[in-house]
Amino acid sequence: MAHEQHNYLNHQKGIWSWLTTLDHKRIGIMYFVAIMSFFFLGGVFALLVRAELFTPGKTLFSADVYNRMMTYHGAIMVFMVIVPGIPAIFGNFVLPIMIGAKDVAFPRLNLMSWYMLMIGAMITGSTLFMQNVDTGWTFYTPYSSIKTGMGVIPMVLGVFIIGFSSILTGLNFIVTTHKLRAPGMTMNRIPLMVWALYSTAILQVLATPVLAITLLLLIAEKALGVGIFDPQLGGDPVLFQHFFWFYSHPAVYIMILPAMGVISELVATYSRKVIFGYTAIAYSSLAIAGVSFLVWGHHMFVSGQSEFAGILFSFITMLVGVPTAIKLFNWISTMYKGSIRLDAPMLFAIGFMFLFTIGGLTGVYLASTGMDVHFHDTYFVVAHFHYVMVGGTLMALMGALIYWFPKVTGKIYSDLLGRIAWVFIFTGFNVTFFPQFILGNMGMPRRYYDYLPTFTELNQMSTFGSWLIGTGFLVGLFGVFHALLKGKEAGNNPFGGKTLEWTIPSPPPHENFDKTPVISGGPYEYR
Amino acid sequence: MNWFSFITATSFMPVPATKESGDVDNLYIFLLVSGLISFIILIGGMVIFIFKYRRKTEDQKSAYITHNTLAEFLWSFIPFVIMMVIFAWGWSVFHDLRRVGEKGDVEVHVTARQWAWTFKYANDIEINSPSDKKLVENDPDSTLLKPEIVVVPVGKTIRFILTSDDVLHSFYVPAFRNKMDAVPGRRTTFTFTPIEKGDFTVFCTEYCGTKHSNMMATIRVVDGEQFAAWQAEKLAASAGASNKGPAERGEALFKGSLGCGGCHSIDGSRIVGPTFKGLYGNKRDFADGSSVTADDAYIKQSILVPTAKIVAGYPPAMSSFQGRIKEDEIKDIIEFIKTLK
């Protein structure tokens, strides 16, 4: 029986053994608990923001309270949920197992990364009780540096520390992938999830320091009056945007690449078929990572930067569309002549492709300079990035949760509950965010507390959709408790996966493998 | 109605009101149609495969297909070509929207500040928007203010020269399909040629604090004669205003070009800053614990160096009016405040 076995969950006992653990699997679970708590908080803020927008004028809160909720919703979701989400939780759990390693390269650094996320989150979160921040998650100067309260300083200090958590995790994954692969596992035999995490890690290590420096400069200006971004002190307000997006555009791919890795695994397993175009998917991840460094200026077509800069950034941005399209074509081709089962994780994968296609195609609108001028900073943009980031990342996160749940806990997540959650989340996303494209067409700007009466019906539809999403995630959460208490015993490989984690017991033993595996073929050999 | 005006109308785009906006709509239609076709190919293919290749028996085998070079080349190359077309088309439309350095037939200096726009014509006509009247009168919860009307002539090239007094703002007119940030310490331009008469709403699209959603104005496009008549009427009104008493001039400044009413009420209600009702001659308590009786010197200091004394319970949000206000105008404002008992 599985629960009598010696595994990583019963290897040591007590809360202290968890808080000092160096086991990547336990750290993954600690990330899961932490990030899901942040997700709950960010979700509550989202529901409140949408509730306020149910009618024009004041519905529940004053404009100041609304602006703060909008800020915390964005900052929590971006910095504490979607950026660390899949790499920190599932990357930590499966990456070493997928390449046949006993742990990550630097287990202590891995634990430290978790603590840095917690410390950063606490400092950022403390501003909720002391001095609320109302800048939006982008902290644009000079509003953040001269026009609002000092709460901005602890807020960005927290984000700065969270950034280091991200850098250290990335560093750990790069070294692990390079140094700890099992014998025979060449780079062209690693699972696509590992390729995605590896590409993400490169972005984390190279881009995040720029955010750190930017936030330090912001603190220097606000606390010490050093003129960097504030024109009254001789600074340049647009400089902040260049710095900020130099990180935050690659960050979009830090959010979406791991999700793409998850989708590659799910599509292969549930189609029971060798992945189509392994090399293309793997190298397109690297291509996306590389090009994404050169596109930050597409956030600034109307900022007053030169027309030439706008055109150049538009051109490079278009190039990102190609590797992204390649991935979609590859996943769909993997399903061709497959043996497809529509279990809950596959439904989430299909939902991902549906929402991500809409998000990606509308991204082309925004990459085109002449069109972007109309849509920039309207609800069209809000809809677009929620389709990509939320529809994409959170769909993948739910799929990953149900797919790897048996491996992590030894219990099977109820497929029925997974499907019910999917119906609510998928329908809810479309009901919430599709009307926002139309609001953008009509010209409703984003971050608005109050709006013209002509925008009312579409906003109400959107708010209604947010309740569906909320319900879906509550069902998903219920599924976790249900599976822990009443879930069926999983066995080693309940879904017929081919990657290495399915060759070891569920839950895995303390050091993953009794005997180091030797690899002699690709990761998805369904023959 | 031809097919493409049908598409723009059903996508809820505002009626295109400038020469440039029609070109943007043509690009929009291309994006919409090519996007829909791509969506149908991708998602349609996916849905067909889901149904056709559903697992019927547990031992059902799948085909072993690792790659197909021709297919992969085509689905990389074709999207690349389409995206280059969209890029080049977007570039050409963008170039028409920007027209940097081109002088307008009518030139207006637009200054943004929290949370109002000031439009200043070459002949010193000045419009401040929004007004202090509510936009939706019967709704006590509505926070929107009625936009003031800025008049421009149809068929001429209009150039707005934008800047900001405090933080970033963005000047956006959906019907013109055009938008430009107002950046402190910098001048940017917003050039357009209106072809439709009517009223068009201006929004602020760069988040700028509490009343961001309230920064509206109305651009009214009229024919040349009506524009000339409007200008003459405005000039006459401002000539009349200079014959008024100091308190009345102060009231005009308060409500008009200085835009004090955006943050300070005169009826005792709390907006962003403290109310001016009952201010003069009464005690003020400050955040640092000190207090003073509000007199001419205190009010003058508050206008020129607003951060010197912060009233308890309010944020240090006001920017200095140094350089934007004359000595006489300060006196007029003080006279006006004296009347607010």
Side-chain angles (χ1 to χ4, degrees):
Chain A
M1 292 294 281
H3 60 270
E4 286 162 4
Q5 257 174 9
H6 198 58
N7 63 45
Y8 79 102
L9 291 169
N10 57 25
H11 176 71
Q12 283 174 305
K13 291 226 158 51
I15 187 86
W16 189 245
S17 76
W18 279 86
L19 291 173
T20 57
T21 184
L22 300 179
D23 185 338
H24 67 97
K25 300 182 286 299
R26 284 185 162 206
I27 292 174
I29 290 180
M30 280 156 64
Y31 270 117
F32 177 78
V33 174
I35 290 172
M36 285 303 125
S37 319
F38 304 148
F39 180 51
F40 184 79
L41 194 63
V44 168
F45 279 122
L47 291 172
L48 290 173
V49 161
R50 278 306 334 160
E52 169 54 43
L53 293 171
F54 192 71
T55 59
K58 181 178 175 223
T59 308
L60 297 170
F61 319 100
S62 70
D64 281 318
V65 175
Y66 171 85
N67 291 337
R68 288 166 190 168
M69 288 191 308
M70 171 271 286
T71 301
Y72 282 98
H73 163 65
I76 291 172
M77 286 303 201
V78 170
F79 296 115
M80 302 183 206
V81 179
I82 298 183
V83 166
I86 295 174
I89 300 171
F90 298 104
N92 255 311
F93 199 94
V94 300
L95 182 132
I97 309 181
M98 279 182 151
I99 60 171
K102 287 180 175 170
D103 205 321
V104 292
F106 307 116
R108 278 171 220 281
L109 199 65
N110 202 16
L111 182 65
M112 186 174 146
S113 307
W114 184 81
Y115 277 104
M116 293 196 89
L117 175 68
M118 297 312 287
I119 292 167
M122 267 188 256
I123 295 177
T124 294
S126 71
T127 58
L128 265 171
F129 305 100
M130 300 190 307
Q131 198 167 19
N132 279 215
V133 179
D134 66 343
T135 57
W137 76 276
T138 51
F139 312 117
Y140 268 18
T141 55
Y143 185 76
S144 60
S145 65
I146 57 168
K147 278 291 177 179
T148 192
M150 297 309 257
V152 172
I153 294 177
M155 179 93 162
V156 299
L157 188 70
V159 172
F160 176 85
I161 296 169
I162 292 170
F164 274 94
S165 164
S166 183
I167 295 170
L168 296 178
T169 302
L171 194 71
N172 220 336
F173 285 2
I174 291 175
V175 179
T176 306
T177 309
H178 275 296
K179 289 293 181 190
L180 299 184
R181 299 193 308 272
M185 179 163 277
T186 61
M187 279 304 268
N188 285 329
R189 284 177 182 169
I190 60 178
L192 289 166
M193 176 73 180
V194 179
W195 264 115
L197 290 167
Y198 177 74
S199 312
T200 309
I202 293 173
L203 286 176
Q204 285 175 308
V205 171
L206 295 180
T208 320
V210 181
L211 176 74
I213 293 163
T214 313
L215 297 178
L216 277 190
L217 290 175
L218 177 58
I219 293 173
E221 175 159 302
K222 196 164 178 67
L224 308 172
V226 182
I228 300 158
F229 306 121
D230 175 10
Q232 286 181 9
L233 301 170
D236 178 1
V238 181
L239 180 66
F240 180 87
Q241 298 179 32
H242 281 288
F243 282 163
F244 183 82
W245 290 113
F246 191 88
Y247 162 76
S248 294
H249 193 80
V252 173
Y253 298 99
I254 294 176
M255 302 173 208
I256 201 71
L257 279 172
M260 291 170 155
V262 170
I263 300 308
S264 301
E265 300 298 323
L266 295 181
V267 168
T269 300
Y270 288 97
S271 303
R272 202 187 268 172
K273 186 159 168 289
V274 61
I275 197 102
F276 185 93
Y278 170 90
T279 342
I281 297 183
Y283 289 99
S284 63
S285 292
L286 280 182
I288 290 174
V291 179
S292 73
F293 275 105
L294 306 172
V295 300
W296 77 90
H298 69 215
H299 294 266
M300 301 167 63
F301 289 155
V302 302
S303 68
Q305 74 178 5
S306 75
E307 187 186 336
F308 176 73
I311 289 161
L312 198 66
F313 283 121
S314 168
F315 174 76
I316 305 170
T317 304
M318 291 289 176
L319 297 182
V320 182
V322 176
T324 311
I326 289 175
K327 280 185 192 283
L328 275 167
F329 280 116
N330 278 307
W331 292 324
I332 292 166
S333 312
T334 301
M335 293 162 71
Y336 173 69
K337 292 195 176 173
S339 167
I340 299 168
R341 254 186 84 147
L342 288 183
D343 287 356
M346 186 62 170
L347 285 179
F348 279 104
I350 287 164
F352 171 96
M353 287 191 256
F354 184 94
L355 300 177
F356 189 77
T357 303
I358 296 176
L361 290 169
T362 50
V364 178
Y365 290 45
L366 298 173
S368 176
T369 36
M371 199 67 241
D372 177 71
V373 172
H374 177 58
F375 286 132
H376 187 87
D377 272 347
T378 65
Y379 263 79
F380 191 94
V381 176
V382 178
H384 157 74
F385 75 72
H386 278 92
Y387 263 93
V388 174
M389 282 159 42
V390 187
T393 309
L394 291 182
M395 279 278 162
L397 192 98
M398 285 298 292
L401 172 68
I402 300 172
Y403 178 60
W404 279 306
F405 197 87
K407 186 49 63 185
V408 176
T409 63
K411 300 286 175 66
I412 291 203
Y413 190 106
S414 156
D415 201 57
L416 178 68
L417 285 172
R419 284 159 183 256
I420 295 172
W422 181 82
V423 169
F424 275 104
I425 296 172
F426 181 77
T427 319
F429 266 128
N430 288 297
V431 175
T432 306
F433 296 110
F434 201 83
Q436 298 186 0
F437 283 122
I438 301 170
L439 283 171
N441 281 3
M442 293 164 83
M444 177 168 164
R446 67 195 280 204
R447 297 178 165 179
Y448 261 29
Y449 163 70
D450 197 354
Y451 51 81
L452 294 176
T454 44
F455 301 137
T456 309
E457 287 78 10
L458 289 163
N459 270 297
Q460 287 182 340
M461 199 190 286
S462 189
T463 301
F464 174 68
S466 72
W467 300 335
L468 294 180
I469 303 176
T471 310
F473 279 112
L474 284 180
V475 173
L477 181 68
F478 173 73
V480 171
F481 292 116
H482 175 267
L484 286 176
L485 297 173
K486 298 205 170 159
K488 281 189 290 225
E489 294 293 330
N492 289 2
N493 189 1
F495 309 126
K498 286 280 181 186
T499 40
L500 280 179
E501 76 272 28
W502 303 112
T503 63
I504 58 171
S506 316
H510 175 56
E511 290 196 317
N512 302 345
F513 299 93
D514 295 333
K515 192 163 87 207
T516 305
V518 177
I519 313 302
S520 57
Y524 310 104
E525 293 296 313
Y526 291 96
R527 284 181 192 265
Chain B
M1 193 186 269
N2 62 22
W3 67 272
F4 72 76
S5 57
F6 175 76
I7 292 180
T8 45
T10 48
S11 329
F12 297 88
M13 292 288 247
V15 176
T18 58
K19 201 161 74 54
E20 306 79 28
S21 53
D23 300 335
V24 177
D25 283 2
N26 290 337
L27 173 59
Y28 172 76
I29 288 161
F30 180 77
L31 281 161
L32 189 70
V33 171
S34 61
L36 274 175
I37 293 171
S38 313
F39 182 81
I40 290 166
I41 292 173
L42 284 160
I43 301 303
M46 184 181 88
V47 170
I48 289 170
F49 294 165
I50 290 170
F51 285 105
K52 193 154 177 211
Y53 304 112
R54 272 293 277 281
R55 193 177 301 174
K56 284 157 196 111
T57 57
E58 260 321 298
D59 53 356
Q60 181 181 324
K61 292 269 184 220
S62 59
Y64 188 79
I65 310 166
T66 56
H67 66 283
N68 180 325
T69 312
L70 178 68
E72 290 184 71
F73 171 75
L74 286 178
W75 73 46
S76 313
F77 186 70
I78 295 171
F80 174 75
V81 171
I82 296 172
M83 280 194 255
M84 283 304 109
V85 170
I86 295 169
F87 158 70
W89 194 338
W91 173 359
S92 118
V93 171
F94 186 58
H95 190 71
D96 284 347
L97 286 168
R98 280 293 165 260
R99 292 191 275 166
V100 179
E102 186 182 316
K103 207 167 155 29
D105 301 324
V106 176
E107 302 236 323
V108 183
H109 282 267
V110 182
T111 308
R113 81 177 66 90
Q114 290 174 318
W115 291 275
W117 305 97
T118 301
F119 299 81
K120 195 164 187 180
Y121 289 73
N123 51 11
D124 281 346
I125 290 176
E126 209 174 274
I127 307 290
N128 283 278
S129 189
S131 69
D132 53 1
K133 295 183 201 69
K134 276 201 157 192
L135 179 64
V136 188
E137 281 162 13
N138 316 327
D139 181 359
D141 288 334
S142 176
T143 65
L144 299 180
L145 296 175
K146 198 170 188 163
E148 287 289 356
I149 289 162
V150 179
V151 180
V152 295
V154 73
K156 301 279 188 196
T157 302
I158 320 288
R159 180 163 79 158
F160 286 167
I161 299 153
L162 312 171
T163 192
S164 165
D165 270 349
D166 39 40
V167 301
L168 297 171
H169 301 273
S170 191
F171 191 88
Y172 174 42
V173 188
F176 299 173
R177 313 283 188 271
N178 204 349
K179 177 185 291 121
M180 192 71 207
D181 281 6
V183 183
R186 229 183 240 206
R187 281 172 199 281
T188 52
T189 57
F190 180 104
T191 312
F192 61 101
T193 311
I195 53 168
E196 293 279 341
K197 287 191 267 186
D199 284 358
F200 305 102
T201 309
V202 178
F203 294 109
C204 175
T205 52
E206 188 67 85
Y207 174 74
C208 57
T210 310
K211 292 165 83 181
H212 166 53
S213 55
N214 212 341
M215 247 178 101
M216 285 189 284
T218 297
I219 295 182
R220 176 168 290 171
V221 179
V222 298
D223 57 36
E225 289 152 36
Q226 285 168 307
F227 177 66
W230 176 79
Q231 287 217 315
E233 187 191 316
K234 283 281 163 192
L235 286 172
S238 64
S242 60
N243 299 328
K244 286 179 182 158
E248 282 167 307
R249 289 200 302 270
E251 181 173 8
L253 287 166
F254 176 92
K255 290 181 174 164
S257 62
L258 296 178
C260 316
C263 299
H264 301 278
S265 77
I266 53 174
D267 60 358
S269 60
R270 182 189 172 117
I271 314 180
V272 177
T275 183
F276 286 175
K277 184 180 169 135
L279 164 63
Y280 196 84
N282 287 316
K283 197 162 145 277
R284 286 298 231 193
D285 294 319
F286 301 116
D288 61 5
S290 65
S291 59
V292 75
T293 304
D295 55 7
D296 290 30
Y298 163 72
I299 295 174
K300 184 175 174 184
Q301 184 191 35
S302 299
I303 293 171
L304 297 178
V305 194
T307 47
K309 294 192 173 74
I310 304 299
V311 176
Y314 289 91
M318 182 165 154
S319 21
S320 170
F321 279 73
Q322 187 93 45
R324 273 174 45 204
I325 188 165
K326 298 187 196 83
E327 198 69 20
D328 297 347
E329 291 176 332
I330 295 177
K331 290 204 179 94
D332 293 343
I333 289 274
I334 292 171
E335 286 307 315
F336 171 60
I337 290 173
K338 281 181 183 169
T339 67
L340 303 170
K341 297 294 180 203

